[in-house]
Amino acid sequence: MMLSHQQQLSSRAPPVATSPVGRVRSSRRVIRSSCASNNNNEARYGACWPGRCAIPEEGTYQRLGVDGYRKKISLLGSTGSIGTQTLDIAEEHADKFEVVALAAGRNVDLLAKQVKQFAPKMVAVQSADSIEPLKEALKAEGVTDVPEILVGNEGAIEVARHPDCEAVVTGIVGCAGLQPTVEAIKAGKDICLANKETLIAGGPHIVPLIEKHGVKILPADSEHSALFQCIQGLPEDGLRRIILTASGGAFRDYSLDEMRFLAENDPLALHAKATTHPNWDMGAKITCDSATLMNKSLEVIEAHYLYGTSYDDIDVVIHPQSIIHSMVETADSSVLAQLGWPDMRLPILYTMSWPERVMCSEETWPRLDFIKMGDLTFKEPDTDKYPSLTLGYAAGRDGGTMTGVFSAANEQAVAMFLDKQIGYFDIFAVIEKACEKHKQEIVLDPSLDDIVHFDQWARDYVSSVVSPDMAISK
């Protein structure tokens, strides 16, 4: 349920459902009913793949690896997690992909190794201070054919729209990836989308550009890739419902009462639990987003911008095994699912190879074994325990700059929670306050500057409403 706007911010008290009807109805109906009075701008912007994906006919595209053809790739964020996995794929399938340009941050030693291995024609670094260290690192690696070296946002833009590249893998985190992505779209490059802000914050600006320039957004997130794979070849109006799966995070087996007890009596234990994922060893921020189910709230928004599905027809289900990565229900009530061991490389590869499927080694890409997989279980998410869902659906329906504010407010709140400046349940409270405040100045058809401006505004606002007495540790 939404928090009361008058509720005092406190890590000791989570939002409480006041309607007895809301407590017994399904979470899907609670989300719908609680958002019913919101302004609904969801049909305003179009979609990247409006409900279906027509498969290109054989002969209308070049086949990877045939007659020496290699798809030319630019990579934004080459030294990060997405970037290194992308380059692992390019290395394994060197007969199918050529890396023509790289943009990185400050890790010049790793970038130099990547230049040595892949010989891109252009590289960009985050700061001018990195140019000389990069040249020294290239010399130490024995690179004699030094690529063109560019700097900053302008450098990343040139990498994204490099004249030789056909597709851009966008692995830069945050709003820093927005402008390069926009320029790549304007240059007619397909986007292998691994930057969530592109659509969650930038959707109202990006989606019309996609339609205008006729490029393709190919999602690298595992859930959205699953949906993309499931809608291949659906007829017009064939998509009825999207079902996003969630691991459930750290608190999937905790009751709300147990979480309240910890918040009251041992907030540090609650903090430690929120940053420990039951399935995987991930970064603290994404682990916390999984615990709050905020990751799924953001994916709901991204799914809407990708596929144009009404928020009323996007559901979330807890699936602890994380084998089914998401599902679609078709008009005739059939359900199509994409299954596999959790591995980010597969959706990244599919963005690069689409519409083809690339044969992969069983040694490096383990095949799904249904016997070893065991049971698959599902349960409904509790919107009292996960108020992020209600907040996310409401932000999505508001549209415009609200979704970017929602995302940025969460990033700031989680950063302050990880720093123990606020308690666990304060995360939801300050996000709601930011979204409520933003209703006074929401921009429904924002420019890129508007999106970046309100991203920073949300972070500043969250910081401003946090007081020292909210800290859970001194």
Side-chain angles (χ1 to χ4, degrees):
M1 286 292 182
M2 295 283 282
L3 304 179
S4 167
H5 302 312
Q6 288 75 39
Q7 181 178 356
Q8 181 180 0
L9 296 182
S10 171
S11 62
R12 299 179 181 276
V16 177
T18 56
S19 166
V21 176
R23 284 193 290 269
V24 297
R25 293 192 308 185
S26 73
S27 62
R28 186 180 180 194
R29 291 185 179 180
V30 170
I31 291 170
R32 287 180 174 180
S33 64
S34 63
C35 297
S37 61
N38 288 358
N39 293 326
N40 192 334
N41 297 298
E42 63 179 62
R44 189 182 187 97
Y45 309 107
C48 302
W49 300 93
R52 62 191 299 265
C53 171
I55 302 173
E57 294 183 8
E58 192 81 23
T60 62
Y61 59 90
Q62 286 184 278
R63 296 291 305 277
L64 296 171
V66 175
D67 296 328
Y69 170 66
R70 297 193 297 165
K71 181 180 284 188
K72 295 177 173 59
I73 302 292
S74 284
L75 174 56
L76 303 176
S78 69
T79 57
S81 175
I82 295 296
T84 55
Q85 290 180 85
T86 300
L87 293 177
D88 286 345
I89 292 168
E91 177 184 16
E92 183 174 349
H93 301 285
D95 62 322
K96 296 178 175 62
F97 304 109
E98 177 184 353
V99 179
V100 297
L102 299 172
R106 299 180 181 274
N107 191 343
V108 295
D109 290 333
L110 179 54
L111 179 58
K113 294 180 187 300
Q114 294 173 345
V115 171
K116 179 181 180 180
Q117 180 173 2
F118 295 98
K121 301 172 183 177
M122 175 187 291
V123 299
V125 289
Q126 184 175 330
S127 168
D129 295 341
S130 298
I131 293 179
E132 287 307 315
L134 175 59
K135 289 181 178 179
E136 292 175 7
L138 290 171
K139 184 177 180 180
E141 290 290 339
V143 176
T144 56
D145 187 9
V146 177
E148 181 180 4
I149 301 174
L150 303 175
V151 176
N153 192 53
E154 289 303 317
I157 288 172
E158 294 307 317
V159 165
R161 65 185 183 191
H162 191 283
D164 291 345
C165 100
E166 300 166 74
V168 183
V169 179
T170 60
I172 293 180
V173 176
C175 283
L178 279 176
Q179 187 68 52
T181 302
V182 166
E183 296 305 322
I185 292 168
K186 291 179 179 178
K189 315 297 185 182
D190 288 339
I191 306 297
C192 304
L193 183 65
N195 171 297
K196 67 183 179 63
E197 284 80 12
T198 297
L199 289 182
I200 294 169
H205 182 77
I206 297 288
V207 172
L209 279 181
I210 292 292
E211 296 177 340
K212 176 180 178 180
H213 294 279
V215 303
K216 299 175 180 64
I217 290 276
L218 304 161
D221 179 80
S222 59
E223 290 81 1
H224 298 109
S225 175
L227 297 172
F228 182 62
Q229 293 176 63
C230 289
I231 67 169
Q232 305 285 311
L234 283 186
E236 195 77 32
D237 299 322
L239 178 61
R240 184 176 189 174
R241 180 168 58 116
I242 280 173
I243 306 161
L244 292 165
T245 56
S247 70
F251 298 117
R252 68 188 181 202
D253 298 320
Y254 277 58
S255 70
L256 182 55
D257 286 341
E258 289 173 313
M259 295 170 67
R260 286 175 176 162
F261 178 85
L262 286 176
E264 183 73 26
N265 297 285
D266 196 352
L268 289 177
L270 191 67
H271 183 280
K273 185 66 178 176
T275 53
T276 306
H277 197 281
N279 293 0
W280 309 294
D281 182 14
M282 305 186 296
K285 197 271 181 183
I286 185 59
T287 301
C288 185
D289 280 349
S290 181
T292 61
L293 228 63
M294 187 63 70
N295 63 334
K296 217 51 53 176
S297 303
L298 296 169
E299 287 170 16
V300 166
I301 295 168
E302 192 170 2
H304 170 73
Y305 284 127
L306 278 167
Y307 307 114
T309 308
S310 167
Y311 287 103
D312 285 348
D313 296 317
I314 303 176
D315 288 349
V316 173
V317 62
I318 304 295
H319 172 47
Q321 296 80 18
S322 301
I323 295 295
I324 296 179
H325 299 300
S326 278
M327 299 169 272
V328 300
E329 181 184 11
T330 60
D332 58 4
S333 76
S334 291
V335 175
L336 309 178
Q338 189 264 328
L339 289 73
W341 299 122
D343 187 339
M344 270 300 298
R345 293 175 304 163
L346 175 58
I348 295 171
L349 171 61
Y350 195 56
T351 67
M352 296 166 66
S353 69
W354 185 86
E356 296 185 56
R357 295 279 187 175
V358 173
M359 180 67 72
C360 294
S361 165
E362 291 187 41
E363 294 181 4
T364 54
W365 301 71
R367 297 165 69 183
L368 184 62
D369 185 322
F370 281 83
I371 306 303
K372 291 180 181 178
M373 179 180 68
D375 295 336
L376 302 181
T377 59
F378 308 89
K379 63 180 180 179
E380 184 178 71
D382 179 350
T383 53
D384 290 342
K385 189 166 78 172
Y386 300 114
S388 53
L389 286 173
T390 304
L391 292 168
Y393 277 86
R397 287 184 171 91
D398 283 341
T401 48
M402 184 62 80
T403 51
V405 164
F406 174 67
S407 176
N410 173 67
E411 289 197 9
Q412 184 64 27
V414 169
M416 299 183 83
F417 168 70
L418 294 176
D419 197 37
K420 301 178 183 175
Q421 297 180 57
I422 61 175
Y424 177 79
F425 290 111
D426 294 330
I427 295 172
F428 308 112
V430 298
I431 292 170
E432 186 191 10
K433 287 180 73 70
C435 291
E436 187 64 25
K437 181 71 172 178
H438 184 56
K439 288 181 180 179
Q440 301 171 13
E441 50 186 359
I442 186 173
V443 179
L444 291 180
D445 297 298
S447 67
L448 206 58
D449 287 342
D450 292 329
I451 292 165
V452 173
H453 167 76
F454 284 111
D455 176 276
Q456 187 60 51
W457 173 88
R459 297 170 195 273
D460 293 342
Y461 182 81
V462 167
S463 296
S464 74
V465 299
V466 170
S467 59
D469 63 345
M470 296 167 68
I472 61 173
S473 177
K474 300 299 183 184

